[in-house]
Amino acid sequence: QFFVFCHGLLQLSQLLVSGYLKSSISTIERRYGLSSQTSGLLASFNEVGNTLLIVLVSYFGSRVHRPRLIGCGALLVSLAGFLMALPHFITGPYEYDQSVASTFSNTTDLCQPGAPRAGANLSDASCAPHASRENHEVLLVMFVAQALLGIGGVTIQPFGISYIDDFASERNSPLYLGILFSVTVIGPGVAFMLGSAMLRFYVDIDKVSTAEVPLTNKDPRWVGAWWLGFLVASSLVVLSALPYFFFPREMPKCPVVLSGFPVVLLRNLRHPVYLLVVLAQVNISAMVAGLATFMGKFLERQFSLTASLANMIIGAVNIPGAMVGIVVGGAILKRFQMSLRQCSALCVLGMLLCLLTAFPLLFLGCPTQKVAGVTYWDSSGLGHHDTECSAQCRCPEKGFNPVCGSDGVEYTSPCSAGCSSVNIHPDSSVLNYTRCSCITGPGPAGFARPGTCGSGCSHLFVPFVVLSCLAGILASTSHTPSFMLILRSIQPEDKSFAVGIQFMLLRVLAWMPGPVLYGSAIDTTCLLWERRCERRAACRYYDNTLFRQRYLGLQFFFEVGAF
């Protein structure tokens, strides 16, 4: 029982490390200028290390000191977590464009007629050769960390499960394994909650005092302390790893030899029920992989939420919903003592209902906000960038400090709105911008407030969350019955091997390509890219409707596949 307790704790903290990246992915994209395709690849890269080793490890399982190897794997996982946070400490402070001169820069992005073009000193400053090298170093460190995370995780689940199954009584084993599986579902939920808490702090909380930072976490330039969660989670892993070095080895009852590896493999893969159920699970996993990686980003963009709030919703609503579904599916199985045919009927029914609730989601969303020169042009067909109103301002090309005009149009910077003066709060945060020549408003010229205008359809947010949570509950009812279909339809002695192959196929066909596929689809809907040193960095504005259709459309496609 102490082993089960330790293992639950270890799995929870391991999932904190791997799940936390997904909760802070939109923040890391913004901080280091990554496209969604790159961040999707990063998120799925831990599966690479994992897949390479999982089959070998499952085979050697009974010949090694399992607890000790679990402990070593856990130490690797914590090392990976600390490495993930390292880029924060080797790069300089986060830089963003601002209107008010501060201790960091004396530049401004207000309209200053007659001044030389301000582009050179705003964003180009970070274009020295060391800046692009720094960026490569950051990516390298993160990819290495993700690979290590996968390698360390290899021993944790299979060895823990087989160790418990070997030494627990036949009657208690399912209970213990049930406890562990529920922990693996709670883990990502806790990770998103941790993300929600950490992203409320400013990224450079250790380098600058909060008083010097004029941003709030609602500002589009805000970057939260993404690295802090990795330190918390990794420290937890280290603590959970210690007891494993003191558990006994205790050889299991019978050592298994690798006889007829190819025969067993072919026998399983030729089994129609096994193959079809695994393919259905591949579809569901591909859907979940994209969901888990980019759902936060989707909510932020569609409904103008802060990263912190988006994580809160996923951790407190969507993931518990999936847990409820898994439990309900298992309960129905137990209550009605279902046959294999009834199991498959339950899976089909769950997916059908899921399709019906997920379809309306494609239409619940917000139009893209009007952004001058990006999604909105005035009556002459020109963006405000090209018209006379801000021509004399000589705005920097790359400046990004969005303001919302009193005319309901968003501008990429106060300069592009033609604003020439700024009013400041006593605490040195910006109150509003006035004398904006591009904004038609009451009086001689309009005014603008800092921050984006938002997509302005918060009333659709609650129905969206309710429906997506419901779809998740319905889809996850098929989790337990589909496992039963696999376990009961293959020969008893092939069981652990078949489950090993199943997990490997899920990784190779779903968890690895899934996030990259979703990321690439999201990138195709970008309207305005940030440029860093002539390379495409993170996306500033998406076409909201296309983003929703392609992101949720992919998800729907996989749900139909599973059905």
Side-chain angles (χ1 to χ4, degrees):
Q1 282 155 342
F2 183 59
F3 185 86
V4 173
F5 169 75
C6 288
H7 206 65
L9 204 61
L10 177 61
Q11 279 198 328
L12 183 71
S13 39
Q14 176 207 358
L15 284 160
L16 263 187
V17 177
S18 57
Y20 182 77
L21 172 68
K22 293 183 169 59
S23 78
S24 50
I25 203 124
S26 63
T27 301
I28 293 175
E29 279 180 15
R30 189 175 302 162
R31 174 66 183 86
Y32 294 110
L34 310 180
S35 69
S36 290
Q37 186 179 22
T38 309
S39 66
L41 183 60
L42 181 65
S44 65
F45 206 70
N46 62 330
E47 306 294 352
V48 174
N50 210 311
T51 311
L52 295 174
L53 291 173
I54 193 110
V55 175
L56 269 176
V57 166
S58 308
Y59 163 52
F60 281 117
S62 49
R63 311 182 173 176
V64 291
H65 193 310
R66 284 175 292 185
R68 221 168 267 172
L69 268 180
I70 294 175
C72 295
L75 291 180
L76 256 186
V77 167
S78 67
L79 173 67
F82 287 125
L83 269 180
M84 281 302 293
L86 184 64
H88 170 74
F89 299 99
I90 56 177
T91 56
Y94 170 56
E95 291 166 1
Y96 52 88
D97 300 336
Q98 50 194 143
S99 321
V100 190
S102 73
T103 47
F104 298 118
S105 68
N106 51 5
T107 59
T108 171
D109 55 9
L110 289 176
C111 179
Q112 297 167 303
R117 185 177 279 275
N121 51 9
L122 258 181
S123 301
D124 293 342
S126 57
C127 242
H130 79 267
S132 57
R133 194 180 68 238
E134 189 176 76
N135 214 45
H136 289 168
E137 283 166 9
V138 165
L139 276 180
L140 183 68
V141 168
M142 287 188 160
F143 274 101
V144 169
Q146 282 288 91
L148 282 180
L149 183 59
I151 293 169
V154 166
T155 58
I156 295 178
Q157 209 171 359
F159 282 179
I161 288 173
S162 63
Y163 192 84
I164 289 171
D165 202 43
D166 284 345
F167 303 125
S169 65
E170 302 258 314
R171 214 188 55 198
N172 287 342
S173 176
L175 168 72
Y176 293 151
L177 294 182
I179 292 172
L180 286 189
F181 277 122
S182 65
V183 167
T184 56
V185 188
I186 298 169
V190 181
F192 276 99
M193 299 299 265
L194 179 67
S196 174
M198 295 305 168
L199 295 179
R200 286 176 193 170
F201 298 109
Y202 181 66
V203 62
D204 290 322
I205 192 167
D206 58 329
K207 301 178 183 171
V208 300
S209 70
T210 10
E212 292 177 61
V213 182
L215 302 184
T216 65
N217 66 1
K218 293 190 174 53
D219 193 292
R221 296 163 297 165
W222 173 267
V223 168
W226 58 272
W227 51 277
L228 211 53
F230 285 115
L231 299 184
V232 173
S234 305
S235 313
L236 274 177
V237 175
V238 174
L239 292 177
S240 326
L242 297 176
Y244 285 91
F245 294 98
F246 303 102
F247 280 107
R249 169 178 179 155
E250 283 194 24
M251 273 302 284
K253 298 148 204 165
C254 50
V256 187
V257 249
L258 200 60
S259 58
F261 186 93
V263 184
V264 181
L265 182 65
L266 283 172
R267 186 165 66 211
N268 281 326
L269 289 181
R270 281 213 306 266
H271 195 303
V273 176
Y274 177 76
L275 199 59
L276 284 169
V277 173
V278 168
L279 283 177
Q281 288 186 336
V282 163
N283 277 286
I284 290 185
S285 301
M287 171 192 99
V288 174
L291 250 181
T293 313
F294 293 115
M295 190 61 167
K297 182 184 178 91
F298 175 78
L299 293 177
E300 286 169 46
R301 297 291 181 154
Q302 281 291 324
F303 302 104
S304 313
L305 307 183
T306 63
S308 175
L309 181 59
N311 282 333
M312 184 82 138
I313 298 289
I314 297 169
V317 181
N318 288 53
I319 292 179
M323 276 185 72
V324 169
I326 293 176
V327 172
V328 167
I332 294 175
L333 271 191
K334 194 171 180 272
R335 172 76 184 75
F336 298 109
Q337 295 290 313
M338 291 186 150
S339 67
L340 284 189
R341 181 155 295 168
Q342 287 168 322
C343 275
S344 56
L346 180 61
C347 290
V348 169
L349 181 68
M351 284 316 297
L352 179 65
L353 292 173
C354 166
L355 282 176
L356 294 177
T357 43
F359 187 66
L361 292 179
L362 286 165
F363 308 101
L364 282 183
C366 312
T368 317
Q369 66 261 54
K370 293 179 180 173
V371 183
V374 180
T375 60
Y376 173 77
W377 286 268
D378 58 12
S379 49
S380 60
L382 289 168
H384 284 305
H385 282 297
D386 317 341
T387 48
E388 305 75 73
C389 69
S390 66
Q392 84 279 15
C393 300
R394 313 173 88 119
C395 302
E397 308 253 310
K398 298 191 210 162
F400 183 69
N401 174 11
V403 297
C404 182
S406 49
D407 55 356
V409 178
E410 188 172 316
Y411 297 83
T412 48
S413 70
C415 183
S416 63
C419 305
S420 52
S421 65
V422 56
N423 298 325
I424 296 184
H425 269 306
D427 64 354
S428 82
S429 60
V430 173
L431 179 63
N432 63 6
Y433 298 94
T434 49
R435 311 222 306 269
C436 305
S437 51
C438 296
I439 302 173
T440 48
F447 63 93
R449 58 179 175 78
T452 75
C453 292
S455 43
C457 64
S458 45
H459 58 286
L460 290 176
F461 176 56
V462 174
F464 182 91
V465 171
V466 170
L467 272 179
S468 73
C469 182
L470 200 58
I473 293 176
L474 291 165
S476 49
T477 49
S478 63
H479 183 273
T480 315
S482 65
F483 258 105
M484 281 301 135
L485 278 172
I486 286 179
L487 292 175
R488 288 189 199 159
S489 62
I490 52 186
Q491 296 179 9
E493 67 271 20
D494 294 350
K495 228 179 250 185
S496 61
F497 191 63
V499 173
I501 294 172
Q502 170 203 3
F503 276 123
M504 197 188 78
L505 287 172
L506 289 184
R507 286 214 158 86
V508 174
L509 299 176
W511 295 107
M512 277 158 74
V516 185
L517 185 69
Y518 275 89
S520 310
I522 291 172
D523 281 344
T524 61
T525 66
C526 185
L527 293 170
L528 179 68
W529 289 95
E530 167 197 3
R531 312 223 38 111
R532 287 196 191 176
C533 308
E534 299 318 302
R535 75 176 179 87
R536 215 173 65 173
C539 183
R540 300 277 201 212
Y541 293 106
Y542 291 95
D543 180 323
N544 268 356
T545 313
L546 275 181
F547 188 163
R548 185 176 67 250
Q549 286 166 352
R550 290 186 188 165
Y551 178 68
L552 297 177
L554 254 181
Q555 204 184 311
F556 193 74
F557 170 78
F558 287 125
E559 283 165 0
V560 172
F563 172 69

